[in-house]
Amino acid sequence: MRKKKSVRTVTALMLSISVAAAMMADIGRAAAETNADKGFRWRNGAEVYSKVCSYCHEGQVGPRLFGRELPPEYTRAVVRNGNRAMPPFRPSEIDDESLAKLAEYIQRN
């Protein structure tokens, strides 16, 4: 009898976690769509870097990006596809125009 009760409890807990994860994914998706719908654009490559990239790349989680003259094509590919611990960023998070500005900013600095 006790075993059945613990199995039900574990099943209910797993179901709750699954529902919560699905809800969080929907909230994230809605937020990204809302920004895209409003025509949100980053001002320049420096702003994208300071708001998105610097947290890891200045915090010694990711490699230093400045002073390496990284080709813009390389930066765009890594941002869109991710690399090792770095997640990929979708166009709803960094649009193509802003990504191009970011890639140029990183190459120049």
Side-chain angles (χ1 to χ4, degrees), residues 43-78:
R43 283 183 293 193
N44 53 38
E47 182 185 33
V48 177
Y49 181 84
S50 72
K51 301 289 185 182
V52 179
C53 311
S54 66
Y55 182 77
C56 292
H57 290 281
E58 297 287 322
Q60 299 179 354
V61 174
R64 301 278 301 161
L65 299 177
F66 296 137
R68 297 176 57 192
E69 298 178 9
L70 295 171
E73 299 80 19
Y74 173 80
T75 301
R76 287 193 301 268
V78 170

Side-chain angles (χ1 to χ4, degrees), residues 42-45 97-106 108:
W42 296 101
R43 283 183 293 193
N44 53 38
E97 179 183 338
S98 298
L99 179 54
K101 291 175 184 177
L102 172 66
E104 290 172 22
Y105 175 74
I106 288 172
R108 284 180 298 174

Side-chain angles (χ1 to χ4, degrees), residues 8-105:
R8 283 188 212 147
T9 303
V10 169
T11 303
L13 181 61
M14 290 175 61
L15 180 59
S16 298
I17 291 170
S18 297
V19 169
M23 288 172 55
M24 293 304 287
D26 286 342
I27 290 168
R29 218 173 292 118
E33 290 170 3
T34 301
N35 282 343
D37 293 343
K38 290 181 181 178
F40 176 81
R41 296 281 186 249
W42 296 101
R43 283 183 293 193
N44 53 38
E47 182 185 33
V48 177
Y49 181 84
S50 72
K51 301 289 185 182
V52 179
C53 311
S54 66
Y55 182 77
C56 292
H57 290 281
E58 297 287 322
Q60 299 179 354
V61 174
R64 301 278 301 161
L65 299 177
F66 296 137
R68 297 176 57 192
E69 298 178 9
L70 295 171
E73 299 80 19
Y74 173 80
T75 301
R76 287 193 301 268
V78 170
V79 169
R80 284 289 180 244
N81 300 306
N83 186 19
R84 298 184 187 157
M86 181 174 158
F89 287 85
R90 300 170 294 191
S92 61
E93 297 162 326
I94 302 174
D95 61 277
D96 290 337
E97 179 183 338
S98 298
L99 179 54
K101 291 175 184 177
L102 172 66
E104 290 172 22
Y105 175 74

Side-chain angles (χ1 to χ4, degrees), residues 1-14:
M1 177 77 162
R2 186 160 176 82
K3 188 173 184 179
K4 283 185 181 182
K5 191 172 184 178
S6 66
V7 169
R8 283 188 212 147
T9 303
V10 169
T11 303
L13 181 61
M14 290 175 61

